[in-house]
Amino acid sequence: MGRAVAAAVAVGLLTACGSGGDDGSAGNEGSGGSSSSPGASSKPSVKAPEGFDTSKGWSASLDWLPEERDARVASLPPVEAVPRAGVVALLQRKDEGYVVEARDAATGTLRWSSAVWQPPAPVDGEGQVSPPRLLVVDQDGREYVTLWAYGEDQADSDEAASGNRVSPVDPSGESASDDTESGTISLAFYLADSSGKDVAPARTIAIPADVGNARVEVGDGGNGVVVAWVPPSSVDRSSASIDISANRVQTYEEDQVELPPVCVNEGWENCIGGTVAGLSPDGPLMSLVIGGFGVAGSWLSRDAVPPGVNPHKADKAGRVLEIIGDHVVSTWPSFKGSDVTAMHDLKSGKLEMSAPCNVKAGPEYTPVRTAASPNGRYVVKGALAFDFERDQAYCLDDESAGIRLLSVGDDGVAHGYRQSPGASGYDPVSFSLETGEIQDLPEDTEVPFLMLQDVGGFVLPADGPGRQLVFHPRR
């Protein structure tokens, strides 16, 4: 039975097919099919929501992933949707390294696979090599599938041969001196519309960085890639931006960052710098150490403060969480209760929507992730859901039964889990951003963690190592 959501805030395939083979042809139909591909496999049975056709679809396995500690809800696998290219990118193990498989979202057919990529060794020389992270980014209208990892400062022979290994430059344009740095953030960028096997990266970039105890963050900047190490490293370098097309890295040190006028004109002693959080058409989006954010010479967050935030502290209040599409996701402390999450236009800084909400409400073992619909109209983040066409935000953070949403389709239907008092601790739900209604789904229903235009991706919990991925078309 559906129920209307009271907390709404307004501001302002698949054709029938089986597994895809490595030769580029589709495999056998149905759950009894098999495939010669190690990445694609026969389709298991999934209890999917009503809007998916489980008689059609394809599947793939990631056998190298470790066993889940808690298999009630499977953790998010290294799989990403590439909307315009119409592919699903998966990370596979091969020959002690890693390979990107890009499979057609509608058929599972292998469009392309990368050459083996070896992540850098651990800086301390001990322990196991951490798997690289998978990221899809956009620059100048082209989609890239990105692999990145942090580790020992060690040049890859392929990088050296290709001439694509890039040393960063400081804002003055001079090459940065990296004599004291022992680590490297290594990245490989693959064109999403590639084809064939053993595809080489369009770019390989290495950023020297003595991260120390910092946490490395690599994300979509809106038009390129942003990198940050938090807290800033021992050499005062706090962030970098990557222009993939120009094969250029720009690093930013705290005393060299071009600060917004709120710092320069008012002479705040504590306004010592910040990090690059995004890449707007008018320059880098700076997130200041003291709080607040903006683009130098263009816009400042203090001019677009969401309702419910103390205006006397607005200069120092907001901070950037991430960039998704053309939107800046920010968080602000509220007068009362939950923090305010807001959406700003990346180019103008205009406040698009906001809502006070406990984003982390819902089952604690379900990930809080930000996901957009393939057409970009809808975005979900934990207990929040945004509709950009109608300028409407929904908060689903009921204290006793909060919801965490994982994905949303072009039809405005999102899926996730609700906190429940039962033995399992969670219940599958769907939420319509068109009607504002939550629909409880039958017990044991699997919800999609990934949405493409006409396809939903499901990940199945496993009793042992590995994950099984299943993709079904929308009805």
Side-chain angles (χ1 to χ4, degrees):
M1 178 180 296
R3 69 177 176 87
V5 177
V9 182
V11 180
L13 194 151
L14 281 188
T15 56
C17 63
S19 302
D22 278 348
D23 60 357
S25 62
N28 297 323
E29 291 187 358
S31 59
S34 62
S35 171
S36 61
S37 165
S41 57
S42 58
K43 180 169 62 64
S45 175
V46 172
K47 188 175 181 180
E50 193 174 83
F52 294 88
D53 186 353
T54 58
S55 69
K56 302 175 183 178
W58 61 277
S59 71
S61 59
L62 300 177
D63 297 332
W64 61 273
L65 291 175
E67 185 174 355
E68 293 271 33
R69 292 183 178 181
D70 186 340
R72 288 176 293 180
V73 176
S75 60
L76 296 178
V79 179
E80 295 289 341
V82 192
R84 291 201 306 278
V87 300
V88 177
L90 306 91
L91 184 64
Q92 297 282 12
R93 283 295 305 268
K94 183 178 181 181
D95 299 335
E96 303 302 320
Y98 294 86
V99 170
V100 177
E101 284 185 354
R103 294 189 172 274
D104 187 281
T107 66
T109 300
L110 187 69
R111 293 265 199 96
W112 59 269
S113 60
S114 72
V116 177
W117 191 76
Q118 181 65 52
V123 172
D124 58 10
E126 299 178 358
Q128 295 182 342
V129 176
S130 297
R133 304 287 185 88
L134 194 61
L135 175 71
V136 174
V137 296
D138 185 287
Q139 182 172 348
D140 301 328
R142 304 204 73 174
E143 293 174 307
Y144 294 86
V145 179
T146 308
L147 286 180
W148 70 271
Y150 172 75
E152 192 176 62
D153 188 6
Q154 174 178 301
D156 184 280
S157 58
D158 290 336
E159 288 181 333
S162 69
N164 283 336
R165 183 178 172 83
V166 178
S167 295
V169 296
D170 66 27
S172 67
E174 300 296 328
S175 295
S177 175
D178 304 308
D179 294 339
T180 62
E181 302 193 58
S182 61
T184 296
I185 303 170
S186 297
L187 306 99
F189 299 93
Y190 302 88
L191 287 168
D193 57 1
S194 297
S195 62
K197 294 183 180 181
D198 296 325
V199 171
R203 292 281 186 267
T204 54
I205 288 176
I207 305 175
D210 184 8
V211 171
N213 294 324
R215 180 181 73 255
V216 177
E217 298 176 348
V218 178
D220 185 358
N223 190 40
V225 177
V226 290
V227 180
W229 29 105
V230 184
S233 70
S234 59
V235 293
D236 296 327
R237 200 169 291 159
S238 60
S239 57
S241 62
I242 300 175
D243 185 327
I244 306 170
S245 301
N247 206 24
R248 177 181 173 84
V249 178
Q250 177 97 22
T251 61
Y252 299 84
E253 298 180 13
E254 288 191 340
D255 61 352
Q256 293 176 319
V257 168
E258 183 181 2
L259 298 173
V262 67
C263 293
V264 178
N265 296 341
E266 298 185 15
W268 289 1
E269 293 181 359
N270 293 328
C271 209
I272 58 175
T275 60
V276 176
L279 300 169
S280 84
D282 299 318
L285 167 66
M286 301 306 304
S287 182
L288 301 180
V289 172
I290 63 169
F293 53 94
V295 177
S298 181
W299 61 270
L300 294 169
S301 59
R302 70 173 183 177
D303 298 324
V305 180
V309 175
N310 187 338
H312 300 294
K313 298 182 179 180
D315 285 338
K316 303 179 182 180
R319 63 183 181 89
V320 177
L321 294 177
E322 61 194 313
I323 307 298
I324 184 163
D326 297 325
H327 312 287
V328 180
V329 187
S330 65
T331 183
W332 305 68
S334 174
F335 271 129
K336 45 189 175 181
S338 302
D339 288 350
V340 174
T341 300
M343 291 283 187
H344 300 259
D345 179 75
L346 178 58
K347 177 174 173 56
S348 68
K350 175 187 175 183
L351 177 65
E352 296 171 310
M353 283 173 286
S354 69
C357 193
N358 177 13
V359 175
K360 296 182 179 180
E364 62 181 2
Y365 41 81
T366 302
V368 175
R369 69 189 303 240
T370 305
S373 59
N375 62 9
R377 173 177 171 176
Y378 306 101
V379 168
V380 297
K381 182 179 181 63
L384 274 169
F386 297 93
D387 180 345
F388 287 96
E389 187 170 301
R390 296 193 300 168
D391 294 329
Q392 191 165 25
Y394 296 92
C395 177
L396 313 176
D397 69 350
D398 184 278
E399 291 184 4
S400 61
I403 289 174
R404 289 188 185 179
L405 299 172
L406 296 179
S407 64
V408 60
D410 285 346
D411 58 357
V413 176
H415 291 90
Y417 293 97
R418 185 209 301 269
Q419 186 71 51
S420 74
S424 66
Y426 70 94
D427 291 322
V429 298
S430 65
F431 172 68
S432 171
L433 279 80
E434 290 292 318
T435 65
E437 287 192 342
I438 296 170
Q439 186 76 33
D440 294 319
L441 301 177
E443 187 178 358
D444 297 329
T445 298
E446 301 290 346
V447 302
F449 77 97
L450 202 67
M451 288 298 302
L452 285 94
Q453 185 174 9
D454 297 310
V455 182
F458 302 80
V459 57
L460 303 183
D463 294 332
R467 308 287 187 279
Q468 191 79 8
L469 308 172
V470 185
F471 295 85
H472 289 302
R474 301 296 300 265
R475 293 185 186 277

